[in-house]
Amino acid sequence: MRYLLRRSAHAAFLLLGVSLLAFAFTVLAPGSYFDEMRLNPQIAPETIVALRSRYELDRPLPVRYVHWVISLAHGDMGFSFAYNTPVAPLLLVRARNTLLLTVTVMLLAWGIALPLGIWSADHLGRLPDRLLSWGTAALLVIPDLVLALGLLVIAVKMGRLPTGGMVSLNFENLSFLGKTRDLLLHMALPVAALVLSVLPLLVRHVRAAVAEVLLAPFLLAAEGHGIPRRTLLYRYALPAAANPLVALFGFSIGTLLSGSLLIEVVMSWPGLGPFLLEAILARDIYVVIGGVLLSTLFLVGGNFLADLLLYWADPRIRTETGA
Amino acid sequence: MRGRRAISGWLVVLVALHACVLFAGFFAPYDPTEQDRGRPYLPPMRLHFLDNRGHFHARPFAYALKLAEGSFDQYEEDTRRALPLKFMVRGANYRLLGLLPSRLHLFGAENERIYLLGSDAYGRDQLSRFLYGGRVSLFAGLLGAGVTVLLGLCVGAAAGYYGGWRDDLLMRLAELFLALPWLYLLFALRAFLPLAVGPLEAFFLIVAVLGAVGWARPARLVRGVVLSAKERDFVRAARGFGATDGYLLRRHILPATSSVLLTQAAILVPQFILAEMTLSFLGLGVPEPVPSWGNLLSSLQQYSVLVSYWWMYLPALIMLPFFLGYLGLGSELQERAEPYKIER
């Protein structure tokens, strides 16, 4: 239990730190959302000053931070200048779309990587393993951006899959089944791009972790007892190799969130990516801070999940009495 | 045992590739900003050895392109006008390495411009833009990695060597930077810097941002090495003889970090090249008309380009050898550092 408490304290510390850091950066920011208005002769300078003071852009940083925390407690996360509403509801819609994408990718990628990596480790050094290693190396070389654009070019040439957005224009009129089909079709390209971008990393690590365990004496003994190969791999070797893989799970969430940010923009998926980009270009600072904080929350949440998994998978951690 | 040669093959490949980009003025046939407004989105010209009557020519040639009958954006080969490829031709002025003025180009054609990778919306040669763009992207990556590794070395050495509260403070800060997904961090840092800047300022801005984004991981690795190195017997002996902190760090401790730093640099450079590409692709990086690998691809964000002018994607494919080189170098360095580990 102490292990879990320590992990959650750590997570809270990270969130606090990131929010402070983000606010500290806003001091460095030259200009604000209202600067564009200065160019407009129809807006009086007094109006701009009034707007700035209304949104507290003229107050010292600690005051703004405290007010922002209070607004966070109210579930607002500050105020978006561009949308003229609290940030939280805006962000949540986008975050939901991003989560839909990333969770699907996570499940798919691990679902493919585990059997593939284990199979590869089982055939270590033989032809299929070498082919797979070459394949993953080739995928590893291709940057996300190049991969996503390439998939788009191919999809446009084929003309079968929708190449942007999340739903079709007539989405509201479709039946439930039609809606699901439409959503899945729109998800196909971004999901494919993201899976292909995280898969090589996962497969390689699974392969290395399992291959290392397969050399252990207890597995040789188990093999000598005539335990079937499949049981040996999945029931004996996999749990023993779980520790580095759970750490990788936490790490892969970060990679995936970053990848998703870019691929959402390229494939115009209405998630956090395009929204954040728009906010940066408009200097809508509270939206930027909110988006960054939310991504940290996802990452921290994912890592917490990884810690839970580790707690469940590794008896050594359960018996450890604090350190 | 592989990877035990004195000089890595990957390094040779990388140096050759970078030379192409560094001497872009010579290898590129044209100036990257020179427009040919009459020929937007020209498809790549094919090089032929056989003409349409089946005669073989030792000198490769391309056919000039003309608008197809009744079309305003479809080109076809004009088989009556062959453009033989000439080597070592005189063309647009440039300065080699920014210093030596020259007019010599590796290849070109007489009378008409030759577009081996096609042209963009303003009729600019994509091949020239790719080569010149590589200067921005590759050197942003290299410089950014250099800054990052130096920063990581300083922070890691300070934390590991002095320990105590300094160690705690720096490592907590590093954890914060590692807690953020890196692209979000990059965006956040970029968000709070000026948006409308000139190409040169944008370049150094990106280098600075990249340096600030990546320092945490090398810092932690360096700290680990320093922690173990400072307890080695010869270091303790040197300290016993009255060696100063500066001497110990310089002479005994920091040399131990070199393999970690090299490996990190090899891993970081391609990541940072990609980061620069991402920023410029999204319009947050180096602005037009200066080419960079990112803004070279940004026209693909328009659906019409994606549908009709697929060759705008070709630069992305030509970049791959660069990334392959860095990946190979990185894994080879890693293998040298830990030769008995199973390759991942």
Side-chain angles (χ1 to χ4, degrees), chain A residues 65-120:
Chain A
Y65 185 70
V66 169
H67 284 195
W68 181 78
V69 171
I70 293 171
S71 138
L72 184 66
H74 288 155
D76 282 352
M77 297 179 88
F79 200 82
S80 162
F81 308 130
Y83 286 83
N84 209 19
T85 62
V87 170
L90 291 171
L91 272 179
L92 287 183
V93 181
R94 271 78 176 185
R96 199 197 58 197
N97 295 344
T98 294
L99 273 185
L100 176 66
L101 203 61
T102 43
V103 169
T104 314
V105 169
M106 210 58 176
L107 292 176
L108 259 176
W110 277 96
I112 299 171
L114 276 179
L116 213 56
I118 291 173
W119 179 76
S120 183

Side-chain angles (χ1 to χ4, degrees), chain A residues 10 14 25 29-30 141 143 146 149-150 156 163 204-205 207 258 261-262 265 272 280-281 283 292 295-296 299, chain B residues 175-176 179-184 187-189 191-195 274 278 282 284 303 307 313 323-324 327 343-344:
Chain A
H10 187 74
L14 278 181
F25 279 131
V141 165
V146 174
L149 286 174
V156 164
T163 51
R204 290 182 150 231
H205 278 84
R207 170 179 172 269
S258 291
L261 192 68
L262 176 62
V265 178
L272 282 175
I280 289 174
L281 291 173
R283 294 238 169 271
V292 170
S295 78
T296 319
L299 192 59
Chain B
E175 265 169 43
L176 280 187
L180 281 160
W182 70 272
L183 201 54
Y184 277 86
F187 268 37
L189 283 174
F192 301 127
L193 293 167
L195 286 174
L274 187 60
T278 306
L282 299 174
L284 298 172
Y303 188 72
V307 174
Y313 180 67
F323 289 101
L324 179 65
L327 189 79
E343 195 186 333
R344 334 198 142 201

Side-chain angles (χ1 to χ4, degrees), chain A residues 95-239:
Chain A
R96 199 197 58 197
N97 295 344
T98 294
L99 273 185
L100 176 66
L101 203 61
T102 43
V103 169
T104 314
V105 169
M106 210 58 176
L107 292 176
L108 259 176
W110 277 96
I112 299 171
L114 276 179
L116 213 56
I118 291 173
W119 179 76
S120 183
D122 194 25
H123 294 80
L124 198 70
R126 275 185 268 165
L127 188 66
D129 170 52
R130 286 222 299 275
L131 283 180
L132 195 71
S133 291
W134 275 103
T136 51
L139 268 179
L140 214 55
V141 165
I142 306 176
D144 292 359
L145 182 64
V146 174
L147 186 71
L149 286 174
L151 282 179
L152 268 183
V153 170
I154 294 170
V156 164
K157 282 271 165 224
M158 301 224 307
R160 289 278 180 75
L161 287 170
T163 51
M166 189 168 153
V167 290
S168 303
L169 285 174
N170 61 346
F171 186 71
E172 290 305 320
N173 307 328
L174 293 172
S175 64
F176 178 72
L177 222 67
K179 276 184 181 170
T180 320
R181 201 182 104 86
D182 190 53
L183 188 64
L184 284 179
L185 276 181
H186 278 86
M187 274 172 79
L189 271 187
V191 165
L194 279 171
V195 166
L196 286 179
S197 79
V198 289
L199 196 61
L201 187 81
L202 300 189
V203 172
R204 290 182 150 231
H205 278 84
V206 172
R207 170 179 172 269
V210 174
E212 226 166 277
V213 170
L214 281 178
L215 297 174
F218 83 93
L219 268 167
L220 289 179
E223 201 176 352
H225 279 94
I227 292 168
R229 196 73 193 159
R230 176 183 288 268
T231 322
L232 202 71
L233 286 175
Y234 284 85
R235 296 295 300 277
Y236 287 60
L238 187 58

Side-chain angles (χ1 to χ4, degrees), chain A residues 272-286:
Chain A
L272 282 175
F275 190 55
L276 208 58
L277 185 64
E278 189 191 322
I280 289 174
L281 291 173
R283 294 238 169 271
D284 205 350
I285 48 170
Y286 291 112

